[in-house]
């Protein structure tokens, strides 16, 4: 998959995205969102507001009820698109890490490289080691996930996604399941990715990260984009009452 | 609580003890010792008493058929069970419903009438229909022995039970696992074989072992078709010599020896699996 888009062009383009569950519950309503190449977009909002659903519609873990999603010029909502090829370019990090417990750290990282990218064992291991160094735990290559702390597991999950050399990284509340003392080590890895110019969409409750890393902050409530803009502006001067009410509740 | 002594004895009768140390005779596996003693006693009878020894020499050759039938039925059932179990979870409406129908239908009929139905009605009719063609085209006929007919029936029945085991095992793997696999670009099939099935095996292997033992015991039903496995040989021996006690004594001994040693092996395997898991998780 080669990118036709030049610098600053849209990596992700969402139009009229609507997702309903059981035909009545509107998780996401008519959302439009573009993410430029190299841009970092942080999505915040109350629980159940549809943040994660939007993220999961980008790599089609949820199938949108209406609307279109384009990633790197490929329309993922088109049934003719080979979704597996698009997913290989879109790294995803989950709240619950979702490492494969029956495989070692290195096997976790090499599995998809070998099966999807057709890399040899040696190539895959070399890339795996590079990414483990990247997230700061090369010594854990032969450990099993259960032998690692939550923060280490999440860093392995990030390394696993990065080893596919994705064009976009999606983070679905990556620190929400972590003990407080482990949040920072994961956010540090993410900040490093930001500085390397990775295109990222991050759903999080970490407002400090949003302030430090986001090019644009999106506030979502009841499945709709309420406000969108540079984080400093949105934090300092929310235009909408709902945004203000949300920040009043969580910031102090 | 903390100030109480570790052992509190209140009289001899209805003694209440507060302790986590139980005496050795409370935790000793008496049941195992009793079973071993019974088996040794049975073996002793067979080795020393002439009539029992005679029964043994007449019945034991049936072991070969009992074991081959068990292995055949288990292997076929394993394949059927895996296909039908995954079929029940398929996105395809046809395979889902075919699998479900098979499982529900088979599980609703007892083994004995099903063996008669398959052996005496289904197999003859199917082979007749097949053979009219095969004979005309190749001058060759397809035949299925009674042993194979009964074995296939057992496999059909246990295939349905195993389908449920596979379905349950696959569903015991959290959905986040396949989501993680798919989000890395693995196909549905790759995710199933590399991510979901290996984890499902932990939940699948113990009940499969139980089914193996159950199949072994149910091969005794092959006797109703005259297959010369252990039970049938026991019946023949008893009927021709009127030594019912000796005949069924030996039959029971052989089954007990097989099933008990198998379940011992199985519990060792399970223990090893949980130990591995502790190491991993």
């Amino acid at each position: 998959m080669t990118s036709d888009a030049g610098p600053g062009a849209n990596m992700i383009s969402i139009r009229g995205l609507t997702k309903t569950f059981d035909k009545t519950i509107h998780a996401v309503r008519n959302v439009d969102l573009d993410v430029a190449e190299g841009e970092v977009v942080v999505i915040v909002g109350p629980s159940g507001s549809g943040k994660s659903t939007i993220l999961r519609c980008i790599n089609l873990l949820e199938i949108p009820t209406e609307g279109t999603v384009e990633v790197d010029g490929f329309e993922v909502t088109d049934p003719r698109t080979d979704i597996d090829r698009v997913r290989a370019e879109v790294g995803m990090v989950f709240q619950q890490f979702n490492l494969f417990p029956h495989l070692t750290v290195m096997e976790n990282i090499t599995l998809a490289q070998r099966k999807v990218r057709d890399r040899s064992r040696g190539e895959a291991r070399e890339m795996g080691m590079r990414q483990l160094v990247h997230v700061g735990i090369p010594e854990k290559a032969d450990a099993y996930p259960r032998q690692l702390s939550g923060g280490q597991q999440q860093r392995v999950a990030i390394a696993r996604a990065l080893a596919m050399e994705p064009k976009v990284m999606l983070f679905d509340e990556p620190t929400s399941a972590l003990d407080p003392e482990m949040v920072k080590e994961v956010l540090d890895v993410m900040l490093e990715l930001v500085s390397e110019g990775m295109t990222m969409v991050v759903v999080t409750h970490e407002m400090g990260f949003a302030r430090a890393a986001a090019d644009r902050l999106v506030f979502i409530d009841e499945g709709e984009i309420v406000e969108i803009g540079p984080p400093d502006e949105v934090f300092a001067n929310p235009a909408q009452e709902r945004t203000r009410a949300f920040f009043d509740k969580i910031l102090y | 609580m903390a100030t109480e002594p570790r052992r509190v004895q209140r009289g001899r009768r209805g003694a209440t003890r507060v302790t986590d140390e139980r005496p050795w005779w409370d935790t000793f596996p008496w049941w195992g010792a009793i079973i071993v003693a019974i088996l040794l006693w049975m073996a002793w009878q067979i080795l020393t008493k002439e009539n029992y020894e005679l029964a043994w020499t007449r019945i034991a050759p049936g072991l070969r058929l009992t074991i081959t039938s068990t292995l055949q039925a288990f292997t076929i059932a394993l394949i059927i069970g895996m296909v039908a179990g995954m079929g029940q979870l398929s996105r395809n409406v046809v395979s889902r419903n075919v699998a479900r129908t098979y499982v529900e239908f088979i599980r609703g009929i007892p083994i004995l009438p099903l063996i008669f139905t398959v052996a005496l009605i289904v197999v003859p009719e199917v082979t007749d229909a097949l053979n009219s063609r095969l004979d005309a085209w190749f001058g060759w006929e397809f035949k299925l022995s009674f042993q194979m007919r009964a074995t296939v029936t057992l496999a059909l029945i246990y295939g349905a039970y195993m389908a449920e085991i596979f379905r349950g095992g696959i569903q015991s793997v959290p959905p986040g696992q396949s989501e993680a696999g798919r989000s890395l670009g693995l196909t549905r099939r790759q995710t199933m074989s590399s991510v979901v099935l290996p984890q499902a095996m932990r939940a699948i292997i113990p009940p499969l072992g139980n089914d193996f033992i159950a199949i072994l015991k149910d091969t005794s039903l092959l006797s109703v078709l005259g297959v010369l496995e252990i039970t049938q040989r026991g019946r023949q021996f008893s009927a021709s010599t009127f030594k019912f006690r000796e005949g069924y004594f030996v039959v029971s001994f052989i089954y007990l020896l097989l099933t008990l040693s198998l379940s011992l092996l199985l519990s060792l395997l399970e223990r090893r699996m949980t130990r591995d898991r502790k190491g991993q998780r």
Side-chain angles (χ1 to χ4, degrees), chain A:
Chain A
M1 202 158 102
T2 51
S3 175
D4 304 323
N10 283 341
M11 183 59 81
I12 297 171
S13 179
I14 299 171
R15 288 288 172 276
L17 177 69
T18 296
K19 175 72 185 178
T20 55
F21 291 106
D22 300 332
K23 290 190 179 166
T24 49
I25 305 154
H26 276 68
V28 177
R29 302 164 198 254
N30 200 21
V31 162
D32 296 325
L33 180 66
D34 289 326
V35 180
E37 201 176 338
E39 190 181 21
V40 176
V41 170
V42 172
I43 303 177
V44 299
S47 302
S49 58
K51 314 181 291 286
S52 291
T53 307
I54 294 175
L55 202 67
R56 290 162 60 86
C57 282
I58 294 173
N59 66 352
L60 226 62
L61 285 183
E62 302 284 356
I63 296 165
T65 314
E66 277 171 50
T68 59
V69 177
E70 270 181 40
V71 176
D72 197 31
F74 289 82
E75 193 181 326
V76 298
T77 37
D78 184 340
R80 288 166 299 182
T81 304
D82 181 358
I83 187 62
D84 295 326
R85 285 190 55 195
V86 180
R87 280 177 176 151
E89 310 294 337
V90 181
M92 184 148 191
V93 175
F94 300 86
Q95 182 176 353
Q96 299 296 336
F97 328 138
N98 294 350
L99 293 181
F100 307 134
H102 61 300
L103 301 178
T104 63
V105 164
M106 186 51 89
E107 287 164 347
N108 263 276
I109 300 175
T110 53
L111 177 69
Q113 289 189 69
R114 299 190 60 193
K115 293 202 182 281
V116 179
R117 292 279 192 239
D118 288 324
R119 290 180 189 152
S120 72
R121 176 186 278 273
E123 286 170 335
R125 285 190 69 90
E126 194 182 319
M127 168 60 82
M129 204 33 103
R130 198 150 72 231
Q131 295 305 340
L132 280 177
V133 170
H134 202 165
V135 300
I137 39 175
E139 73 279 7
K140 297 292 185 187
D142 296 319
Y144 281 94
R146 290 293 156 127
Q147 298 167 323
L148 306 183
S149 71
Q152 291 172 331
Q153 287 192 52
Q154 192 62 296
R155 281 146 74 192
V156 171
I158 294 172
R160 178 174 73 176
L162 290 176
M164 297 295 286
E165 299 177 289
K167 296 191 162 137
V168 191
M169 286 286 287
L170 309 177
F171 292 85
D172 188 3
E173 301 200 27
T175 57
S176 297
L178 295 175
D179 291 334
E181 71 269 26
M182 292 169 187
V183 168
K184 192 170 177 297
E185 64 187 62
V186 171
L187 292 180
D188 283 346
V189 169
M190 290 168 66
L191 277 173
E192 192 171 329
L193 284 181
V194 172
S195 71
E196 289 163 12
M198 175 64 80
T199 311
M200 293 164 61
V201 183
V202 183
V203 170
T204 187
H205 294 293
E206 295 295 331
M207 297 303 149
F209 176 82
R211 198 185 293 273
D215 294 311
R216 278 188 300 161
L217 183 70
V218 180
F219 172 67
I220 291 193
D221 191 22
E222 294 179 346
E224 292 170 318
I225 294 185
V226 176
E227 193 153 345
I228 182 164
D232 291 340
E233 279 176 32
V234 178
F235 278 126
N237 210 355
Q240 300 288 327
E241 188 47 44
R242 278 197 279 179
T243 319
R244 193 184 308 270
F246 177 70
F247 287 147
D248 279 349
K249 275 184 206 148
I250 61 161
L251 296 176
Y252 55 83

Side-chain angles (χ1 to χ4, degrees), chain B residues 45 66 129 139 147-148 156-157 167 169 194 264 269 272 278:
Chain B
Q45 302 288 308
T66 294
Q147 184 262 337
M148 267 321 285
L156 278 174
I157 291 161
R167 183 176 66 91
S194 302
L264 185 69
L269 179 75
R272 234 190 59 183
K278 268 180 204 149

Side-chain angles (χ1 to χ4, degrees), chain B residues 3-274:
Chain B
T3 54
E4 281 197 35
R6 210 149 162 71
R7 258 169 205 271
V8 183
Q9 293 254 348
R10 293 202 195 109
R12 193 163 295 177
R13 222 182 273 172
T16 1
R17 267 181 285 110
V18 181
T19 171
D20 42 14
E21 275 172 47
R22 286 150 74 189
W24 69 271
W25 47 264
D26 194 38
T27 51
F28 186 80
W30 292 104
W31 59 273
I34 293 169
I35 285 169
V36 169
I38 291 175
L39 284 177
L40 286 174
W41 174 75
M42 289 177 100
W44 179 250
Q45 302 288 308
I46 292 167
L47 283 170
T48 56
K49 296 199 173 150
E50 198 183 337
N51 283 340
Y52 287 88
E53 202 196 336
L54 180 66
W56 171 266
T57 53
R58 297 273 292 277
I59 293 167
L63 255 176
R64 201 179 59 85
L65 264 180
T66 294
I67 291 169
T68 49
S69 304
T70 305
L71 291 175
Q72 286 166 346
F74 183 78
T75 311
I76 303 170
L78 203 60
I79 295 164
I80 297 176
M82 191 151 99
V83 172
M86 300 214 286
Q88 288 191 74
L89 299 171
S90 166
R91 283 190 316 162
N92 183 312
V93 62
V94 176
S95 42
R96 209 167 54 223
N97 283 286
V98 167
R100 187 93 214 137
T101 308
Y102 157 71
V103 169
E104 294 297 333
F105 186 85
I106 292 284
R107 289 203 308 174
I109 306 175
I111 300 184
L112 198 51
L114 205 59
I115 285 184
F116 284 130
T117 312
V118 171
L120 305 177
I121 302 162
V122 177
V123 170
E125 284 186 4
V126 170
T127 46
D128 278 356
L130 262 175
N131 284 341
S132 64
R133 307 270 160 74
L134 288 173
D135 197 24
W137 293 343
F138 307 108
W140 175 75
E141 284 198 346
F142 177 71
K143 282 202 188 90
L144 212 54
S145 70
F146 275 114
Q147 184 262 337
M148 267 321 285
R149 293 181 200 188
T151 302
V152 166
T153 316
L154 275 184
L156 278 174
I157 291 161
Y158 278 92
Y161 294 138
M162 288 183 191
E164 289 296 277
I165 294 173
F166 273 95
R167 183 176 66 91
I170 289 167
Q171 282 180 324
S172 75
V173 179
Q177 288 291 310
S178 43
E179 284 182 0
R182 297 304 305 279
S183 75
L184 285 163
L186 295 172
T187 64
R188 197 172 288 278
R189 189 179 293 262
Q190 288 169 333
T191 305
M192 182 54 82
S193 66
S194 302
V195 176
V196 178
L197 271 184
Q199 295 184 62
M201 286 323 280
R202 288 185 187 287
I204 287 172
I205 284 174
L208 278 190
N210 289 334
D211 271 6
F212 186 86
I213 293 171
I215 289 176
L216 175 78
K217 288 189 293 177
D218 281 348
T219 55
S220 64
L221 291 165
L222 269 60
S223 62
V224 298
L225 296 179
V227 177
L228 282 172
E229 42 68 69
I230 290 169
T231 306
Q232 179 64 4
R233 281 176 184 269
R235 283 171 65 183
Q236 284 187 349
F237 172 81
S238 304
S240 60
T241 59
F242 294 104
K243 294 185 169 56
F244 290 94
R245 182 196 303 265
E246 291 84 349
Y248 289 111
F249 185 93
V250 168
V251 169
S252 311
F253 173 72
I254 295 175
Y255 281 122
L256 267 177
L257 198 62
L258 290 175
T259 53
L260 290 174
S261 31
L262 277 173
S263 59
L264 185 69
L265 274 178
L266 199 63
S267 65
L268 289 178
L269 179 75
E270 275 175 50
R271 195 175 303 178
R272 234 190 59 183
M273 274 171 55
T274 43

